[in-house]
Amino acid sequence: MVYSALSHLDCSKTGRRYDADLVQGVSEAGVPLLARYDLEQVAATVTPADIAARPADLWRYHEVLPVRDEAHVVTLGEGMTPLLPLPSYGAAIGVPGLLMKDEGLIPTGTFKARGAAVGVSRAKELGVTGVAMPTNGNAGAAWAVYAARAAMTSLIAMPVDAPSITRAECVVSGAELYLVDGLIGDAGKLVAAAVAERTGYQEVSTLKEPYRLEGKKTMGYEIVEQLGWRAPDVILYPAGGGVGLIGIYKALLEMRELGWLKGDLPRLVAVQAEGCAPLVEAYEQGKDESVPFPDAHTVAFGITVPKALGDFLVLEAVRRTEGTAIAVSDADLLAEQAELARKEGAFICPEGAACMAAAKQLRASGWLREGDRTVVLNTGAGIKYPETVTVDVPTLAVDSRIPFPSAG
């Protein structure tokens, strides 16, 4: 059995085939390319039992990942993050079976490490010597770290308001980093112009290369495997560029074709912040694509994407699974971030907290049922966003006493 069953790439709109063994960007139609595999061959040679005997990282699914030679795998041990029950918080919001896929424990502290691991590995295999991208912070940090691991160079541009720790991650790993006085789209224009003038670089912006998506889809494989090769009823995902949600949907379809997953697919929920909700607006208006969201701003900085290249794929995934799209306020998501920490001891990122707020609201509206087995994606560690918590506590003199707690 070959290490990867990668067959070819498809245009996500026209279905036109592209050679997977050439460095590729978007299709001629200007939309993402999707990796395709010989799933018949995989089904004939690999079983879930085989998968279970492999190391607990995302490369356990290597037949449906694009790296052809294991020698080209660039890894920091990413994958197989825990699927944690949230009994106290779940009971409080009326969803006692609530589960959280905690990506805060992955290398670099966010799910972006999945896309970086697979994207950098495949770029290295294809002879790319430098990667370049705009980022809201965490993706750039992850790609910079994995590029360093692969002995590749990296060019990163991020909005000046991006989380400061992500700047440090880029700098410490040797990336060529620039801050841009604007949004991610503005950074993207600068990166595209720079790549056009450089040799050996590939632009790896969201969905402008095919393999970040393949790393992200492993979240879907893991969720199903962790549930005994059964799908949950609902998956909530914070959607900016939406790559993770697109990837999870792709994984679900692949597993069904492989015979590893039976029955209905989970209802997929795209969660956004009210300050940047182009996908929610498009969903509510019955449109297949979004329009740029004006004056985009939210404390959940990772999902501040005014217009996603793959918006039509996110909307397709939501509609075909009978899911929904919902926007929550910054005040609500910050409240749920604090509430979850108090009830479960889990300090999650604001994007993950947006999904908690969405779950609470969807349960209140009746869309989410009490008995639904529901999985919320926490896409990163809360400690990467210290500015989301106000610390206002007493300072004691060394000769003072700690007061006895009040009854209230």
Side-chain angles (χ1 to χ4, degrees):
M1 178 65 189
V2 295
Y3 190 71
S4 170
L6 179 66
S7 169
H8 63 280
L9 303 172
D10 276 345
C11 172
S12 55
K13 274 196 174 177
T14 68
R16 179 179 173 180
R17 290 172 65 118
Y18 287 76
D19 189 343
D21 290 312
L22 298 176
V23 176
Q24 301 280 10
V26 295
S27 73
E28 290 184 2
V31 297
L33 292 172
L34 302 177
R36 301 302 186 192
Y37 302 84
D38 184 346
L39 296 180
E40 187 175 328
Q41 180 192 34
V42 177
T45 55
V46 184
T47 67
D50 295 327
I51 301 291
R54 294 176 178 176
D57 59 35
L58 66 79
W59 298 100
R60 68 202 277 117
Y61 311 112
H62 58 78
E63 287 88 355
V64 288
L65 292 174
V67 180
R68 296 200 185 277
D69 186 342
E70 186 176 7
H72 294 134
V73 167
V74 180
T75 181
L76 289 167
E78 58 286 333
M80 203 44 71
T81 54
L83 191 60
L84 297 173
L86 301 176
S88 297
Y89 180 81
I93 69 169
V95 189
L98 189 64
L99 300 164
M100 179 175 71
K101 181 71 167 163
D102 191 2
E103 293 291 289
L105 301 180
I106 207 166
T108 76
T110 77
F111 77 119
K112 303 290 188 178
R114 293 181 186 269
V118 175
V120 166
S121 296
R122 185 58 174 156
K124 177 184 177 182
E125 187 168 58
L126 293 175
V128 173
T129 58
V131 292
M133 67 186 307
T135 177
N136 273 330
N138 281 314
W143 281 74
V145 167
Y146 279 87
R149 179 82 164 167
M152 298 166 65
T153 57
S154 59
L155 166 64
I156 312 294
M158 64 176 69
V160 71
D161 292 333
S164 60
I165 192 168
T166 61
R167 304 181 197 177
E169 289 175 289
C170 291
V171 170
V172 77
S173 56
E176 182 184 352
L177 174 66
Y178 298 94
L179 303 180
V180 178
D181 189 14
L183 296 175
I184 190 171
D186 303 305
K189 293 174 184 175
L190 294 175
V191 167
V195 169
E197 298 173 346
R198 301 188 181 203
T199 302
Y201 275 76
Q202 181 183 14
E203 183 183 350
V204 293
S205 306
T206 303
L207 292 174
K208 287 192 176 181
E209 60 79 49
Y211 302 119
R212 180 197 301 208
L213 173 63
E214 296 305 288
K216 300 284 186 66
K217 81 178 181 186
T218 58
M219 291 184 288
Y221 276 91
E222 288 180 18
I223 289 169
V224 170
E225 182 180 0
Q226 288 169 315
L227 292 175
W229 297 101
R230 294 172 51 221
D233 297 306
V234 179
I235 298 176
L236 292 95
Y237 195 90
V243 183
L245 193 147
I246 297 166
I248 288 171
Y249 181 57
K250 186 174 187 288
L252 294 167
L253 295 179
E254 289 175 356
M255 283 184 282
R256 191 159 65 178
E257 188 171 344
L258 287 165
W260 296 355
L261 178 62
K262 309 291 186 183
D264 294 337
L265 297 184
R267 309 193 313 271
L268 299 179
V269 181
V271 179
Q272 297 199 291
E274 290 178 354
C276 185
L279 294 169
V280 176
E281 286 193 351
Y283 174 80
E284 291 176 346
Q285 295 168 6
K287 296 180 179 178
D288 294 331
E289 296 184 12
S290 66
V291 296
F293 198 89
D295 302 320
H297 183 76
T298 168
V299 68
F301 202 75
I303 52 176
T304 312
V305 180
K307 166 69 175 172
L309 179 65
D311 53 3
F312 66 100
L313 294 171
V314 176
L315 292 165
E316 176 185 324
V318 167
R319 291 188 174 118
R320 289 194 177 180
T321 60
E322 299 182 358
T324 191
I326 181 173
V328 300
S329 70
D330 278 5
D332 285 344
L333 72 86
L334 289 173
E336 296 313 304
Q337 181 190 49
E339 188 67 10
L340 183 72
R342 285 192 290 266
K343 280 191 160 55
E344 302 287 359
F347 182 17
I348 66 174
C349 67
E351 295 82 10
C355 289
M356 297 297 172
K360 183 176 183 179
Q361 293 175 22
L362 290 172
R363 178 69 189 99
S365 71
W367 188 92
L368 192 60
R369 299 181 291 267
E370 181 180 14
D372 283 336
R373 176 174 277 189
T374 303
V375 173
V376 167
L377 265 294
N378 171 46
T379 50
I383 56 175
K384 297 195 78 173
Y385 298 82
E387 69 282 356
T388 61
V389 177
T390 300
V391 179
D392 183 13
V393 298
T395 299
L396 301 179
V398 294
D399 58 351
S400 64
R401 300 184 62 172
I402 295 176
F404 195 82
S406 62

